Amino acid sequence: MGLMMEWHTMQKCQTKGNKHILIIGRPHRRIGKGSVIGSSRSVSVPFFSSFRLKFFHLSNSLTILFPLIRRGWVELRTQKMGMKQVIKNLDAFPRAEDHLLQKTQSGALVSVIGLIIMATLFVHELRYYLTTYTVHQMSVDLKRGETLPIHINMTFPSLPCDVLSVDAIDMSGKHEVDLDTNIWKLRLNSDGHIIGTEYISDLVEKGHTHHKHDDHKDHDEHSEQKIHLQNLDESTENIIKKVKEAIKNKEGCRVYGVLDVQRVAGNFHISVHGLNIYVAQMIFDGAKNVNVSHVIHDLSFGPKYPGIHNPLDDTNRILHDTSGTFKYYIKVVPTEYRYISKEVLPTNQFSVSEYYSPINQFDRTWPAVYFLYDLSPITVTIKEERRSFLHFITRLCAVLGGTFAVTGMLDRWMYRLIEALTKSKSKR
């Protein structure tokens, strides 16, 4: 099979005293298959010679290892450069050399316009992000034992304050007298300017303990019971003269304040029911002359929250040469408004329907303005919330990116148009 030479440089090294015994092999000669001819001998070498021999073999090993390391490093650098090239190929915004760029006046104009538009849209999106929006939720009303505040602010331009009275009753027919209730009446002249004030501490008309206002005949029946109790004395005659003079001067009255009633269905009304029927007859000469024209400046069932709309605010109902009874049927909806600061504002909304009944000569009732309210079993919760920052970034990128793309297209079109016009002029 041939002759194969193998050199065994160092097979064994032993230490004896200050010398090292090195066994050096002779060249083996392989003859045929599996036959080896050779021998080995032990040589005693000094310690320094042994160190040189180790250094020699270490240098030979490094000589073989360095090329391998260098080759691996070159291959690694090649791979890194290839990876960088792959990454560069993914660049969607290649850069051109400065000398290849051309700046034009049309491009500058389009750029300025685009910057103005983007700045405007950015401010708009920022304001949209900073503003809050509301979320409505509904649930069953579980409130008990609380009062219902009713804020009133009305003007009666054709009735003096001396004849107006305010009454409030609930579903059981009992009058609600609340010492904390404050109602004021302001005397108005024909121009609507204030000329005097009057404070009503008791809402219930005097002597109306068993009065039932849901029956329109109650006033006459009750008045007939009071005939023997009240006679036309001097003070009554003075009141009649005073009221007639006020009507002649076209005095009006403004009624405002707060009623605190129980959270049950009921009504309150403003009318001339506080007068004795005969006194009222002497003053107005019949119910058809009682003009209950009114202006509702404000009517609410609790404090106001942002965005609330009370349907009866700024309502004008003016009658000319006629009279009648106004009825407002109100459905009160309990409401909670939760601010973004976690503050909770309990209040109420309401819806309303209106009915007007004119007075004829055979009616035994007197004109009035009724507000009949009922409470809904459902409460509405309104929460303020803010839009997420991610939503703001998404909208901002869409708006600014779209503006940038459109201005780029406009710039290219203008450049081509100007270039085409320039070439056509040069040919001429």
Side-chain angles (χ1 to χ4, degrees):
M1 295 293 292
L3 182 63
M4 181 178 69
M5 303 297 292
E6 294 182 359
W7 293 89
H8 294 267
T9 307
M10 183 175 63
Q11 293 181 349
K12 188 175 183 183
C13 181
Q14 298 178 356
T15 304
K16 291 183 179 181
N18 60 352
K19 293 185 178 181
H20 292 270
I21 304 301
L22 183 63
I23 301 175
I24 301 176
R26 301 174 71 182
H28 298 273
R29 182 175 59 184
R30 188 183 297 273
I31 301 174
K33 187 175 182 181
S35 300
V36 179
I37 301 176
S39 61
S40 60
R41 59 188 177 89
S42 299
V43 182
S44 178
V45 295
F47 175 78
F48 183 72
S49 300
S50 174
F51 180 76
R52 286 198 305 172
L53 187 59
K54 290 181 180 180
F55 180 75
F56 173 75
H57 286 290
L58 180 60
S59 63
N60 287 341
S61 300
L62 293 177
T63 304
I64 297 172
L65 185 61
F66 280 154
L68 295 177
I69 295 174
R70 183 179 180 184
R71 184 183 302 173
W73 177 253
V74 171
E75 290 179 357
L76 184 61
R77 289 188 61 186
T78 304
Q79 291 179 359
K80 287 185 176 180
M81 292 180 65
M83 186 62 68
K84 289 182 178 179
Q85 187 62 34
V86 171
I87 294 174
K88 286 183 179 180
N89 292 335
L90 298 177
D91 186 9
F93 306 98
R95 300 293 185 270
E97 298 292 337
D98 292 339
H99 66 276
L100 298 177
L101 299 177
Q102 182 180 1
K103 296 183 178 181
T104 60
Q105 294 182 353
S106 60
L109 179 61
V110 172
S111 299
V112 172
I113 295 175
L115 288 174
I116 295 174
I117 294 175
M118 285 190 285
T120 304
L121 294 177
F122 172 78
V123 173
H124 177 270
E125 290 298 323
L126 183 61
R127 292 180 60 185
Y128 180 73
Y129 166 70
L130 294 177
T131 55
T132 58
Y133 66 99
T134 56
V135 178
H136 292 69
Q137 298 177 347
M138 292 187 294
S139 61
V140 178
D141 185 20
L142 302 177
K143 294 180 181 179
R144 292 182 179 180
E146 297 183 5
T147 58
L148 179 66
I150 305 176
H151 299 264
I152 306 171
N153 189 355
M154 299 177 61
T155 297
F156 291 83
S158 301
L159 290 177
C161 290
D162 294 323
V163 300
L164 282 178
S165 63
V166 182
D167 194 11
I169 61 174
D170 59 18
M171 201 67 177
S172 65
K174 296 180 180 179
H175 291 84
E176 296 294 336
V177 180
D178 193 339
L179 298 178
D180 295 332
T181 298
N182 296 320
I183 295 294
W184 289 85
K185 293 193 295 186
L186 303 179
R187 293 177 56 200
L188 305 177
N189 59 16
S190 59
D191 297 326
H193 300 298
I194 299 174
I195 56 178
T197 61
E198 182 180 349
Y199 175 67
I200 306 177
S201 60
D202 189 353
L203 295 181
V204 185
E205 290 97 40
K206 297 178 181 180
H208 283 211
T209 306
H210 303 287
H211 192 96
K212 296 186 180 297
H213 286 267
D214 49 350
D215 185 0
H216 292 300
K217 298 180 181 180
D218 56 353
H219 185 73
D220 296 332
E221 295 174 355
H222 175 72
S223 299
E224 291 175 0
Q225 296 174 2
K226 298 199 318 180
I227 294 176
H228 65 282
L229 298 177
Q230 295 185 4
N231 296 319
L232 296 179
D233 53 10
E234 184 177 355
S235 60
T236 304
E237 292 179 356
N238 292 334
I239 292 176
I240 294 175
K241 292 180 180 179
K242 180 181 177 182
V243 173
K244 285 186 175 182
E245 184 178 357
I247 294 175
K248 183 179 179 181
N249 296 331
K250 297 182 180 180
E251 283 190 18
C253 186
R254 185 165 185 172
V255 181
Y256 73 97
V258 180
L259 300 176
D260 287 322
V261 298
Q262 299 297 321
R263 292 182 65 87
V264 294
N267 76 78
F268 67 94
H269 60 272
I270 305 174
S271 63
V272 296
H273 290 172
L275 296 175
N276 179 282
I277 183 64
Y278 293 101
V279 174
Q281 185 70 29
M282 293 182 65
I283 293 175
F284 296 102
D285 193 20
K288 62 181 180 179
N289 296 322
V290 179
N291 189 343
V292 291
S293 298
H294 58 278
V295 178
I296 303 176
H297 304 288
D298 176 41
L299 180 66
S300 59
F301 292 81
K304 296 183 179 181
Y305 61 85
I308 190 174
H309 173 68
N310 294 322
L312 287 179
D313 288 358
D314 300 324
T315 299
N316 294 290
R317 296 294 180 265
I318 306 300
L319 300 176
H320 300 282
D321 300 329
T322 184
S323 186
T325 298
F326 290 89
K327 291 184 179 181
Y328 297 95
Y329 296 91
I330 298 172
K331 195 70 172 182
V332 180
V333 181
T335 305
E336 283 188 354
Y337 192 87
R338 298 180 180 270
Y339 290 92
I340 199 168
S341 60
K342 307 303 181 182
E343 181 184 355
V344 179
L345 177 67
T347 183
N348 298 278
Q349 304 179 76
F350 69 92
S351 61
V352 63
S353 58
E354 180 182 351
Y355 175 75
Y356 172 71
S357 175
I359 293 291
N360 57 55
Q361 58 181 352
F362 301 105
D363 286 337
R364 299 178 61 187
T365 60
W366 288 78
V369 179
Y370 284 85
F371 298 91
L372 302 98
Y373 56 88
D374 191 8
L375 279 84
S376 170
I378 302 298
T379 182
V380 177
T381 301
I382 306 175
K383 294 182 179 180
E384 283 185 350
E385 293 188 1
R386 194 181 299 278
R387 298 169 181 85
S388 65
F389 183 73
L390 184 61
H391 183 263
F392 167 68
I393 292 298
T394 303
R395 289 177 58 93
L396 190 63
C397 291
V399 169
L400 299 183
T403 305
F404 184 80
V406 171
T407 52
M409 293 173 57
L410 182 62
D411 175 59
R412 287 193 294 272
W413 293 342
M414 291 184 63
Y415 177 76
R416 291 175 182 176
L417 178 62
I418 293 174
E419 188 178 16
L421 294 176
T422 305
K423 287 183 178 180
S424 61
K425 287 183 179 180
S426 61
K427 288 181 181 179
R428 293 179 183 176

